[in-house]
Amino acid sequence: RKEVEQDPGPFNVPEGATVAFNCTYSNSASQSFFWYRQDCRKEPKLLMSVYSSGNEDGRFTAQLNRASQYISLLIRDSKLSDSATYLCVVKETGFQKLVFGTGTRLLVSP
Amino acid sequence: NAGVMQNPRHLVRRRGQEARLRCSPMKGHSHVYWYRQLPEEGLKFMVYLQKENIIDESGMPKERFSAEFPKEGPSILRIQQVVRGDSAAYFCASSKTGDSYEQYFGPGTRLTVT
């Protein structure tokens, strides 16, 4: 079983749509959670951290359910520029390495 | 304020040659991490270094791969006797402290083994 699992997609949505991605992680010792964005053949960039209480940054909302070991990302009012691969990332207590999911690809069309 | 720098951006090596990948962390950062992304796969952690010390190399293949972060100069990821399966994008990240939540990634080096 993979440490971090994501639906690879692609998710094809029109501009303005709301889209949600899910992610599950297997290690209950995971302490920190993030969503990164990776554009084609480029480096991953931090989109947002994910907190237990849930957090929002503009059109983006992240949720964490520790009991179910489940993380989500909601994107509202999708823009063409949101087209990218979204990476679910966890970090275990006491370790500095990031553990990446394989990513979910989003394609936003006009 | 320059970000993480990696060079070369693209590297082509024949099977059996050596590959040297360099990473200069962001200014003020003394923690460096190397990740590898195979085609159509997620990023996989390889090694975590501080100046002159390897802290965690649990993701490094046991043979042919080594990493260093000397007191002066960039971090180096060295792959000896490359094979076709080493073809991948190698990303370096840096952070200010070991407890820092955010790791800043460089643009990567794309290694192609022919």
Side-chain angles (χ1 to χ4, degrees), chain B residues 39-111:
Chain B
E40 307 303 323
E41 292 192 17
L43 279 81
K44 295 276 193 264
F45 168 80
M46 299 182 75
V47 62
Y48 162 41
L49 310 101
Q50 292 179 37
K51 286 284 186 181
E52 300 184 280
N53 287 304
I54 296 175
I55 307 302
D56 180 358
E57 56 181 348
S58 58
M60 285 281 268
K62 294 286 185 269
E63 297 177 348
R64 303 188 296 109
F65 284 73
S66 62
E68 62 176 10
F69 190 14
K71 189 176 180 181
E72 301 291 337
S75 175
I76 306 284
L77 179 67
R78 183 182 176 205
I79 311 172
Q80 295 177 287
Q81 299 174 325
V82 295
V83 301
R84 288 225 172 102
D86 296 332
S87 295
Y90 290 83
F91 291 100
C92 168
S94 75
S95 65
K96 198 165 188 177
T97 66
D99 292 334
S100 176
Y101 286 157
E102 185 162 0
Q103 295 180 13
Y104 296 82
F105 282 81
T109 293
R110 297 202 172 269
L111 173 65

Side-chain angles (χ1 to χ4, degrees), chain A residues 3 25-31 33 66-67 69 91-93:
Chain A
E3 291 183 79
Y25 60 95
S26 60
N27 191 337
S28 58
S30 298
Q31 180 189 39
F33 309 90
R66 284 187 186 271
Q69 296 181 196
K91 187 176 174 188
E92 296 174 26
T93 305

Side-chain angles (χ1 to χ4, degrees), chain A residues 31-32 34 36 38 40-46 49 87 91 95-102, chain B residues 10 33 35 37 41-45 48 56 58 91 98-103 105-107 110:
Chain A
Q31 180 189 39
S32 305
F34 313 91
Y36 275 72
Q38 186 175 28
C40 187
R41 302 179 70 81
K42 294 197 172 177
E43 73 271 25
K45 292 184 178 176
L46 179 65
S49 301
L87 307 172
K91 187 176 174 188
F95 292 90
Q96 304 314 318
K97 66 179 182 181
L98 300 178
V99 181
F100 286 80
T102 51
Chain B
H10 300 273
Y33 314 80
Y35 294 85
Q37 187 171 31
E41 292 192 17
L43 279 81
K44 295 276 193 264
F45 168 80
Y48 162 41
D56 180 358
S58 58
F91 291 100
D99 292 334
S100 176
Y101 286 157
E102 185 162 0
Q103 295 180 13
F105 282 81
R110 297 202 172 269

